[in-house]
Amino acid sequence: MRVSVLDPAAYTPPYDRALCAALARAGAEVELVTASFPHGEVPPARGFAVREDFYRHAPPGRGRRPARLLSHVPDMLRASRRPADVVHFQWLAVQQVDAQLVRAFARPRVLTAHDVLPREPRGGRRWAHGAQRRLYERMDAIVVHSEHGRRRLVDELALDPSGVHVIAHGVLRPAGDAPLPAEVAGFEGPVVLCFGLLRPYKGLDVLVEAWRGIEGAQLWIVGAPRMATAPLRAAAPPGVRFVERFVSEGEAAALFRRADLAVLPYREIDQSGALFTALGFGVPLVLSDVGGFPEIAAAGAAVLVPPGDAAALHAALARLLGDASGRATLAEAASRLAGERHDWDAIARAHLDLYGTLLP
């Protein structure tokens, strides 16, 4: 079976490449058609081909986004001519345009809804949801990573339930042995890690407020900013350190190996790559009670707190920082979950089974 995996935005190179490698191990002939990732390091291609065909002429710097948008239509049309038995899209971010462009691709067409609905919609939520629904209707199957995501698509967009399939997100484990980022090096006590792009919906203001009064430990907030961070820095109590940039694979691995807890205080989400990186390293988790996060907590790998509740988040962090046995119990469940439900080879088999139901 020839499978073409398309990620025009290259938002999730670790996920894309882990999925492609697993599909290849399962016997598929796989080609990843994507953009060059602008921030350097990506996992190697093992067993599959890669074509960096999207946004080839986009310059670095401020002109990059307009150039990407201008090249998107011809690049998508070029990609539609690649031979494949199944086309599997990731991150079609220009919904109103892509809903038309995907018609050029042969069927069957599959889309993984990493964000089931836009969290930061341009043009208003109702308009964005309408564009997203039209895009989903052009697909033969939609993959989501949680039962919560499936319910949203069925209930909020009225999609046919038979076309929405839950397949787990695989664990992500950056490789390498780089030292910790210089911004956080030199501390010997307990560490709580918040990792990923810095965005408003991630509740970082709540996290900074929740850290007040916690002593003897540090909170490390690591990720490239997609929001103004000066107010966060101004509000941060002692013990909060920031790494406001993309970090290398080796640095990410060092951060997760060093962390005693990982915290994701999101206001809304379906699932998170940072969560599955923490699972891959067996790091205990404190999560907001949103999206698919309760499914991780139900397996014993995380403690849940209400979203936006700084007092509850403070209490959970303080309790776990003082409870090594409790952290060990969460870490054991995280490792077990990573090796069972979120194993890439099982995920590849589930995808191939789905593809098989779509082929004539």
Side-chain angles (χ1 to χ4, degrees):
M1 181 187 300
R2 294 177 301 177
V3 181
S4 180
V5 177
L6 275 85
D7 185 353
Y11 284 159
T12 56
Y15 177 91
D16 294 343
R17 292 176 184 242
L19 174 61
C20 289
L23 291 171
R25 288 195 300 273
E29 180 183 337
V30 185
E31 181 179 65
L32 173 62
V33 185
T34 187
S36 57
F37 191 58
H39 304 289
E41 225 174 326
V42 294
R46 292 194 169 95
F48 61 94
V50 179
R51 293 180 61 91
E52 293 183 345
D53 275 1
F54 286 96
Y55 314 127
R56 297 179 324 286
H57 306 298
R62 297 179 64 183
R64 188 176 184 90
R65 180 174 175 79
R68 283 185 164 192
L69 292 174
L70 284 172
S71 68
H72 186 64
V73 172
D75 286 351
M76 283 284 282
L77 293 175
R78 185 183 305 105
S80 73
R81 296 191 289 270
R82 301 296 303 164
D85 298 309
V86 177
V87 180
H88 192 153
F89 296 96
Q90 315 281 335
W91 287 110
L92 290 175
V94 192
Q95 294 92 344
Q96 66 276 23
V97 176
D98 288 326
Q100 303 304 318
L101 291 174
V102 297
R103 290 177 164 183
F105 290 82
R107 306 188 89 139
R109 302 188 288 254
V110 180
L111 171 64
T112 294
H114 294 280
D115 287 344
V116 294
L117 291 168
R119 288 190 301 268
E120 298 167 339
R122 294 183 175 89
R125 190 169 293 270
R126 178 177 296 181
W127 181 86
H129 285 193
Q132 193 79 30
R133 189 178 194 280
R134 287 189 292 275
L135 178 60
Y136 288 149
E137 288 173 341
R138 305 285 191 260
M139 299 296 157
D140 297 286
I142 308 296
V143 173
V144 293
H145 295 313
S146 70
E147 291 292 343
H148 167 269
R150 185 177 188 275
R151 287 194 300 271
R152 288 197 73 189
L153 292 185
V154 172
D155 294 345
E156 296 183 35
L157 294 190
L159 295 186
D160 182 348
S162 67
V164 184
H165 305 265
V166 180
I167 300 179
H169 192 303
V171 294
L172 301 173
R173 189 176 172 89
D177 55 359
L180 287 167
E183 297 94 325
V184 295
F187 179 68
E188 299 298 329
V191 167
V192 176
L193 176 64
C194 183
F195 185 90
L197 292 175
L198 309 186
R199 293 187 181 274
Y201 71 85
K202 293 189 175 182
L204 299 174
D205 54 334
V206 179
L207 177 57
V208 164
E209 178 62 27
W211 195 257
R212 295 189 183 282
I214 293 180
E215 299 179 352
Q218 287 194 352
L219 169 63
W220 295 353
I221 298 176
V222 180
R226 295 294 183 266
M227 58 183 285
T229 57
L232 280 179
R233 286 184 170 275
V240 181
R241 300 171 79 172
F242 291 84
V243 181
E244 294 187 43
R245 58 178 175 85
F246 278 93
V247 298
S248 70
E249 280 248 317
E251 288 176 309
L255 286 162
F256 280 95
R257 283 194 294 263
R258 177 66 179 83
D260 297 277
L261 283 171
V263 58
L264 299 176
Y266 293 7
R267 291 184 168 89
E268 58 176 323
I269 197 67
D270 179 49
Q271 285 292 11
S272 162
L275 185 157
F276 294 103
T277 307
L279 285 185
F281 284 90
V283 180
L285 288 150
V286 177
L287 305 174
S288 294
D289 187 1
V290 295
F293 285 2
E295 297 170 30
I296 302 300
V303 168
L304 292 180
V305 297
D309 190 333
L313 182 56
H314 172 93
L317 293 172
R319 176 174 63 81
L320 285 170
L321 284 169
D323 182 6
S325 176
R327 295 198 307 272
T329 299
L330 292 171
E332 182 181 355
S335 296
R336 183 173 61 251
L337 195 59
E340 295 174 358
R341 187 189 308 171
H342 301 284
D343 171 71
W344 278 109
D345 290 331
I347 289 165
R349 289 193 296 272
H351 278 89
L352 290 175
D353 288 345
L354 171 60
Y355 301 157
T357 67
L358 303 174
L359 291 169

